[in-house]
């Protein structure tokens, strides 16, 4: 297991921006494809974006053009820049290894008010 710390959530109005950060240490994190996931109340957890160790990115259709995932391997962080936020983006956001998930952490709450 790799311990991660997710931060950066908050309450914003529609159209606002937030930047989430996921910090972890160790080579396992550095060489893993990392995803940002989210789970809204009464909905299944979904993958929002992922980034490979080499920097290749994939986004869910619902966030394309609005969210940008990036990583700084030297610092051991993976970030999610979220722009043009919508109420439907409201959820708890988590970072985790893509597919072969580690134990889920507490996540960070994002609330977008209309």
């Amino acid at each position: 297991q790799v311990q991660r710390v997710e931060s950066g959530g908050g309450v914003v109005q529609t159209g606002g921006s937030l930047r989430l950060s996921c910090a972890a240490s160790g080579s396992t994190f550095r060489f893993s494809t990392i995803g940002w996931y989210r789970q809204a109340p009464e909905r299944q957890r979904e993958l929002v974006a992922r980034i490979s160790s080499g920097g290749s990115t994939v986004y869910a259709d619902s966030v394309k053009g609005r969210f940008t995932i990036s990583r700084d391997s030297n610092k051991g962080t993976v970030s999610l820049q979220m722009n043009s936020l919508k109420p439907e983006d409201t959820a708890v956001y988590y970072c985790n290894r893509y597919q072969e998930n580690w134990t889920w952490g507490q996540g960070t709450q994002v609330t977008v008010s209309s």
Side-chain angles (χ1 to χ4, degrees):
Q1 298 297 321
V2 173
Q3 298 300 315
R4 291 97 54 208
V5 177
E6 299 126 334
S7 62
V11 179
V12 295
Q13 293 186 331
T14 297
S17 298
L18 285 173
R19 185 176 181 86
L20 307 183
S21 180
C22 172
S25 61
S27 60
T28 301
F29 185 83
R30 181 180 299 179
F31 293 112
S32 295
T33 294
I34 301 298
W36 276 100
Y37 298 77
R38 67 185 180 188
Q39 187 168 22
E42 300 182 0
R43 297 191 66 177
Q44 288 191 334
R45 188 176 286 133
E46 63 174 342
L47 178 66
V48 172
R50 70 179 194 256
I51 185 167
S52 72
S53 58
S56 297
T57 59
V58 178
Y59 296 91
D61 287 343
S62 59
V63 306
K64 279 181 183 177
R66 301 189 297 122
F67 290 11
T68 302
I69 189 170
S70 60
R71 72 189 303 165
D72 185 330
S73 295
N74 290 330
K75 294 183 179 179
T77 58
V78 174
S79 299
L80 185 69
Q81 177 66 43
M82 306 187 296
N83 299 327
S84 302
L85 283 162
K86 305 175 181 180
E88 51 263 44
D89 295 318
T90 295
V92 179
Y93 285 71
Y94 305 85
C95 68
N96 207 326
R97 182 167 58 179
Y98 175 61
Q99 291 186 322
E100 296 179 55
N101 300 144
W102 297 307
T103 301
W104 294 95
Q106 296 294 316
T108 185
Q109 175 71 49
V110 172
T111 302
V112 185
S113 61
S114 57

